[in-house]
């Protein structure tokens, strides 16, 4: 495994652990419930994956 591959793997592990911590926090969604199109967990996942 090259250094680049190892760094990519480490970043993936860090992102997964970060997402796990967000899920464990059980965050409340401050948005108006009748106007929500996408759940907060989906938004967080997209942001992390886009990174």
């Amino acid at each position: 495994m090259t250094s680049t591959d190892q760094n990519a793997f480490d970043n993936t592990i860090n992102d997964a652990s970060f997402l796990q911590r967000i899920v464990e926090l059980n965050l409340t969604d401050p948005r108006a419930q009748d106007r929500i199109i996408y759940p907060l967990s989906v938004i967080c996942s997209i942001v992390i994956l886009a990174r």
Side-chain angles (χ1 to χ4, degrees):
M1 186 179 293
T2 66
S3 165
T4 305
D5 292 340
Q6 184 63 41
N7 289 339
F9 180 75
D10 290 342
N11 287 340
T12 301
I13 296 299
N14 290 337
D15 289 344
S17 63
F18 176 71
L19 185 57
Q20 181 64 34
R21 280 184 271 148
I22 289 174
V23 169
E24 289 172 355
L25 286 175
N26 196 13
L27 299 174
T28 57
D29 195 345
R31 300 175 293 169
Q33 295 299 312
D34 58 334
R35 300 186 71 198
I36 293 176
I37 297 174
Y38 298 102
L40 187 59
S41 60
V42 171
I43 301 298
C44 291
S45 299
I46 290 171
V47 168
I48 291 170
L49 291 173
R51 179 181 160 249

